[in-house]
Amino acid sequence: MSEETKNAPVLETTDEAEEERQKLAAIAEVIDTYKDQPGSLIKVLHAAQNIYGYLPLSLQKVIATGMNMPLSTISGVISFYAFFSTTPKADNTIKVCLGTACYVRGGQKIMDRLQNILGIKPGELTEDRKFSIEVTRCLGACGLAPVIMVNDDVHQQVNPDKLEKLLAAY
Ligand code: FES
């Protein structure tokens, strides 16, 4: 087995391999469109992140080659802007408020229960990439604590016993 084959990502199914191929082809097209336009790197990175979901090192190398730029330039721009991510994002981000009002009214219990249900800690995402958990401080709805947000939805007076049902809607 060649070094390259050994290092290639293991794709579970041919569907996944096909999906990956299509994403890379779409990114190659974007690079082709912009490679000769000065100052277009951010546009390319945005498009690549929209297509791929995030910007892993392997993709940064593809972009560096395609744009004829050093990898360090690509990585530097990605780390400078907060909206670029080098790690995969979950389909649904759960923000658990642990501000004072929410904490006092059981925010930590909600956090514990969520970790239990999903089997992940804050900052992690589930294996199927469906959910990730983040801690946040005050979502501005203290009167109705404890509060969590799932994507853009604010859930108030959350009951830990009803979390599974709440998550099933996503
Ligand atoms: S402390 Fe949680 S909403 Fe204000």
Side-chain angles (χ1 to χ4, degrees):
M1 190 184 286
S2 75
E3 229 11 70
E4 213 166 88
T5 315
K6 264 194 280 174
N7 292 333
V10 179
L11 298 172
E12 303 276 307
T13 64
T14 49
D15 282 356
E16 278 179 38
E18 177 56 21
E19 202 184 312
E20 174 92 0
R21 198 194 60 74
Q22 286 178 2
K23 285 180 185 170
L24 291 175
I27 292 168
E29 249 178 67
V30 173
I31 293 172
D32 245 19
T33 307
Y34 289 106
K35 69 180 176 202
D36 296 324
Q37 293 181 24
S40 60
L41 178 60
I42 293 201
K43 266 188 213 161
V44 171
L45 293 174
H46 259 301
Q49 182 163 280
N50 281 340
I51 294 166
Y52 205 82
Y54 66 111
L55 300 165
L57 186 60
S58 56
L59 186 53
Q60 293 175 35
K61 286 181 184 166
V62 169
I63 295 170
T65 307
M67 297 293 287
N68 200 18
M69 287 179 177
L71 178 61
S72 58
T73 303
I74 311 289
S75 308
V77 169
I78 291 171
S79 60
F80 185 79
Y81 293 103
F83 46 77
F84 291 130
S85 174
T86 56
T87 50
K89 289 259 177 259
D91 296 340
N92 302 288
T93 303
I94 306 169
K95 291 186 178 141
V96 181
C97 182
L98 292 181
T100 309
C102 288
Y103 189 83
V104 168
R105 291 196 213 159
Q108 187 60 51
K109 269 193 199 136
I110 290 175
M111 176 55 98
D112 294 345
R113 187 69 69 89
L114 273 175
Q115 291 187 47
N116 221 296
I117 294 169
L118 298 173
I120 54 171
K121 294 189 182 339
E124 296 178 347
L125 64 169
T126 52
E127 229 170 83
D128 61 4
R129 296 189 185 171
K130 202 162 176 204
F131 292 105
S132 63
I133 311 178
E134 290 174 12
V135 174
T136 184
R137 304 279 165 199
C138 197
L139 292 164
C142 312
L144 292 163
V147 179
I148 69 169
M149 264 183 98
V150 184
N151 308 324
D152 293 330
D153 307 333
V154 178
H155 297 273
Q156 301 163 330
Q157 294 183 316
V158 175
N159 178 341
D161 295 332
K162 295 191 175 157
L163 276 171
E164 277 186 80
K165 197 173 163 201
L166 188 154
L167 294 182
Y170 293 89

